[in-house]
Amino acid sequence: TQLLEQSPQFLSIQEGENLTVYCNSSSVFSSLQWYRQEPGEGPVLLVTVVTGGEVKKLKRLTFQFGDARKDSSLHITAAQPGDTGLYLCAGDPQSAGKSTFGDGTTLTVKP
Amino acid sequence: DAGVIQSPRHEVTEMGQEVTLRCKPISGHNSLFWYRQTMMRGLELLIYFNNNVPIDDSGMPEDRFSAKMPNASFSTLKIQPSEPRDSAVYFCASRQRLNTGELFFGEGSRLTVL
């Protein structure tokens, strides 16, 4: 059983559309991280959410941490082809250093 | 500043051969992680070290896999003997502290076992 479930698995949209991807778990996390990975490269951190209910914005990306700290969402406004990539959420429920990743959402934004 | 450096970037080998992947973490980072990424299983944590000491190797799939960190600036992941199902991209990542902060990933080593 996957500790972090991400949905959807694949998403293909046109430039300018909005989208939301989700990261869900039955475990409570002290923090969750979102990474973005491009082909041929390693994942790169986008944001860390720490407080239940927290909302963080990074230009056109909005990240939310659930009140119960079991889930998170990433919303992209007016997606652009440069947003194409694999979006991964990660967390360590026991704060022991064991960062576990979800399976990711592969986003394709067509011009 | 140099990021996490992995070598080789690509390796093609035949079943039964020994494979050694190498990683140089970011200077000053105390924790080092080895992950494996495949389409089927996503990004799996294999083993991680803190201050050069292995903390948890429960993700290492079999005894054919071993990892070492002889000093703060170098780690190896060895597969002996290799099998076709070991084909994957292997990532090394480092972090300043064990249980907090950003993971910095290398560019990965793509392994193909024929």
Side-chain angles (χ1 to χ4, degrees), chain A residues 30-92:
Chain A
S30 58
S31 67
L32 276 178
Q33 298 180 325
W34 284 92
Y35 288 78
R36 179 165 159 259
Q37 184 179 17
E38 297 191 34
E41 299 181 9
V44 175
L45 181 69
L46 295 172
V47 79
T48 299
V49 285
V50 179
T51 306
E54 179 179 10
V55 176
K56 279 193 173 178
K57 291 194 175 185
L58 189 65
K59 296 183 180 178
R60 293 176 293 100
L61 278 60
T62 302
F63 303 85
Q64 186 159 8
F65 200 11
D67 290 340
R69 291 185 287 122
K70 292 182 178 182
D71 56 86
S72 181
S73 63
L74 158 59
H75 181 80
I76 301 179
T77 303
Q80 298 177 1
D83 296 326
T84 293
L86 175 66
Y87 289 82
L88 296 155
C89 65
D92 175 10

Side-chain angles (χ1 to χ4, degrees), chain B residues 15-27:
Chain B
M15 183 174 64
Q17 296 297 306
E18 178 179 294
V19 173
T20 299
L21 308 178
R22 297 172 177 80
C23 175
K24 177 178 168 55
I26 292 173
S27 177

